[in-house]
Amino acid sequence: MAQRIPFSTALFYLTLLSALLLTSTAQAASSLIPAPPQVSARSYLVMDADTGHIIAADREDERFAPASLTKMMTSYIVEYEISKGNIAEDDLVLVSEKAWRTGGSRMFIQEGTQVKVGDLLRGVIIQSGNDASVALAEHIAGSERAFADLMNQHARLLGMDDTHFVNATGLPADDHYSSAIDLAKLAKALITRFPDHYAIYSQKYFTYNNIRQPNRNQLLWRDNSVDGIKTGHTDDAGYCLVASAKRDDMRLVSVVMGTDSEEARSRESQKLLAYGFRYYRTHQLYTAGQVLENSKVWAGSRDQIRLGLKEDLAVTVPRGKTDQLEASIELDKVIKGPVAQGQELGKVRVSLGGETVTTVPLVALESVEEGGLFKRIWHAILLFFLGLIG
C-alpha cells in the first residue's frame, strides 16, 4: 500500500523545488550577453587594455584617415625619448618658422622663441597643437619628414600593420592612414609603458602664452572613469576619438573613427565603454614569476626547476562565467640541462567552456647548469631505457 506524504511535507518540497528553479533561471539569465550596441561610425572597437581582447568591433582593421589621432604617436615618441634619457621635459626647443606657420589647431607658440619640451608635450596632448607637434618633431629628428620615418618604425614595432604616417600632426595627406585596431594597440602602449606621462591625457585645460584651452575630449567632463586619450577631426576623417576608462580592476580602450559630430564621437564611445564594463570583466590568473610547476631536469646540475610566466596573465571573460575558466599546462616531454632562465619549456593553455581563450609560454624561472660528465652519461642511459629518447 502506497504511503501518503503529509500535505505540509509536500508543500515544503514544492517550495524548495521552485526556489531552486528560480535560482537556476536567475543565474542563467545573469550570464546572458546581448549583442553589442549599434555604433554610428565608419570603424570602431572596444578592447580590454590589460589582455588585448577585442570585446566588440566593426571594420577595425580597415584603413582610414586618423586626423589628430596621429598625435598619439607623436606624444608616444616624445615620451619614449624622455624615458631613454635622450631628451628631458625641461629642454628648450627653438620654434622654427615652419612650426609657427602650421595651420589647424594650435598651441600659439611664436617663431624664434624657446619652449620647454614638457610644455610642448602638453600642447600636443591637451590642446592638439599642430605647431607644437611640428616643433617636437624637428627637435627630435631634425625634420618632420625624418620624424615621420621614426613614427613608422615605432608603428612596426608595436604591430601596427595597417598604419602609415607622413606627418606628425594628422593634417590631410596622401598615404597617411591608420586603423582602429592599430590605434588601440598604440593606446595600450601609451598607458602601460609611460604611466608617469599618461596622467597628462586626463588634464582638462592647459594654459600657454596666457591662452587657456580645453581638452577636446568631452568624456573627461561626463565620466569620471575616463582619463584619456585623444580626439581628431578633419573633413576626410570625420570626428574621431580614442578613449580609455578604468572601473575597479578593469581598463577599457575604445576607438571610434568617422562619426559625424563632436557629440556623436562622445556618445558612440560611451556606448562601447558601457557595454564592455557591464557585460565583461578582467580576471587575473597568474602573476609574473609565480611558480606554476616544478619539473624534473635531466643531465643538469640540479634535478628540479621552477617554471612560470614572464608576464602577468589575465583574461577577459563574460560576467558570470569566471567559474568556467580552466588552465592546463603542456610541458616539454624531456627537459635537459643546461637550461637558461626565461627559456620556453612548455605552454599554459586557458580555456572557457571548452574553447581556448589564450595560450602563453611556460618558461624557466631560473637557470640550471649542465651536470657533470658522469651524471650526463647516467641520465642518458636512464632516458634510453625509459624509452624517452633513442
Side-chain angles (χ1 to χ4, degrees), residues 9-43:
T9 302
L11 181 62
F12 168 78
Y13 283 114
L14 284 171
T15 303
L16 179 61
L17 179 60
S18 297
L20 289 171
L21 287 172
L22 285 171
T23 301
S24 176
T25 302
Q27 289 176 341
S30 68
S31 63
L32 295 177
I33 306 295
Q38 295 293 316
V39 178
S40 298
R42 293 176 196 161
S43 172

Side-chain angles (χ1 to χ4, degrees), residues 166-181:
V166 299
N167 61 49
T169 62
L171 288 170
D174 293 338
D175 207 30
H176 188 98
Y177 55 82
S178 190
S179 66
I181 184 64

Side-chain angles (χ1 to χ4, degrees), residues 43-45 66 69 72 180 183 215-220 226 228-233 237-244 253-259 261-270 272-273:
S43 172
Y44 67 83
L45 70 76
L69 301 184
M72 292 170 59
L183 292 166
N215 194 315
R216 291 169 172 79
N217 184 358
Q218 296 177 352
L219 294 187
L220 295 175
V226 173
I229 296 176
K230 191 72 190 74
T231 61
H233 170 255
Y239 291 85
C240 309
L241 173 59
V242 176
S244 184
V253 168
S254 65
V255 182
V256 295
M257 303 181 75
T259 68
S261 68
E262 289 186 15
E263 173 59 30
R265 70 185 175 193
S266 299
R267 181 184 65 244
E268 302 309 301
S269 296
Q270 283 184 297
L272 290 167
L273 293 171

Side-chain angles (χ1 to χ4, degrees), residues 296-347:
K296 169 73 176 176
V297 179
W298 297 89
S301 59
R302 289 185 288 111
D303 294 330
Q304 292 286 322
I305 187 169
R306 296 178 299 169
L307 307 176
L309 306 178
K310 284 184 179 180
E311 300 177 348
D312 294 347
L313 176 59
V315 293
T316 309
V317 294
R319 288 190 180 271
K321 295 190 176 182
T322 305
D323 58 350
Q324 297 179 28
L325 281 172
E326 294 182 353
S328 61
I329 291 177
E330 301 171 3
L331 200 58
D332 289 354
K333 195 173 183 181
V334 176
I335 299 175
K336 295 179 66 176
V339 178
Q341 185 175 359
Q343 181 177 331
E344 183 175 339
L345 298 171
K347 296 185 182 299

Side-chain angles (χ1 to χ4, degrees), residues 148-333:
D149 181 64
L150 196 59
M151 295 169 76
N152 290 321
Q153 291 181 47
H154 277 282
R156 298 290 84 76
L157 291 172
L158 292 172
M160 298 171 64
D161 298 328
D162 292 300
T163 293
H164 185 262
F165 299 112
V166 299
N167 61 49
T169 62
L171 288 170
D174 293 338
D175 207 30
H176 188 98
Y177 55 82
S178 190
S179 66
I181 184 64
D182 283 0
L183 292 166
K185 292 176 182 177
L186 178 55
K188 180 179 179 181
L190 281 169
I191 294 165
T192 58
R193 298 187 183 184
F194 311 116
D196 292 342
H197 286 102
Y198 182 66
I200 298 173
Y201 295 84
S202 65
Q203 293 180 16
K204 295 179 180 178
Y205 296 96
F206 180 61
T207 301
Y208 180 77
N209 200 19
N210 295 319
I211 301 173
R212 186 173 188 247
Q213 296 190 67
N215 194 315
R216 291 169 172 79
N217 184 358
Q218 296 177 352
L219 294 187
L220 295 175
W221 281 266
R222 298 184 183 182
D223 186 339
N224 289 333
S225 69
V226 173
D227 54 12
I229 296 176
K230 191 72 190 74
T231 61
H233 170 255
T234 63
D235 290 342
D236 184 30
Y239 291 85
C240 309
L241 173 59
V242 176
S244 184
K246 186 172 183 179
R247 299 179 190 174
D248 298 324
D249 294 326
M250 187 178 200
R251 175 176 287 281
L252 297 179
V253 168
S254 65
V255 182
V256 295
M257 303 181 75
T259 68
D260 58 13
S261 68
E262 289 186 15
E263 173 59 30
R265 70 185 175 193
S266 299
R267 181 184 65 244
E268 302 309 301
S269 296
Q270 283 184 297
K271 285 183 188 178
L272 290 167
L273 293 171
Y275 178 78
F277 284 124
R278 172 65 181 85
Y279 294 109
Y280 290 84
R281 68 184 299 267
T282 306
H283 183 70
Q284 299 291 332
L285 286 171
Y286 306 114
T287 58
Q290 179 182 345
V291 179
L292 302 184
E293 185 82 4
N294 287 288
S295 182
K296 169 73 176 176
V297 179
W298 297 89
S301 59
R302 289 185 288 111
D303 294 330
Q304 292 286 322
I305 187 169
R306 296 178 299 169
L307 307 176
L309 306 178
K310 284 184 179 180
E311 300 177 348
D312 294 347
L313 176 59
V315 293
T316 309
V317 294
R319 288 190 180 271
K321 295 190 176 182
T322 305
D323 58 350
Q324 297 179 28
L325 281 172
E326 294 182 353
S328 61
I329 291 177
E330 301 171 3
L331 200 58
D332 289 354
K333 195 173 183 181

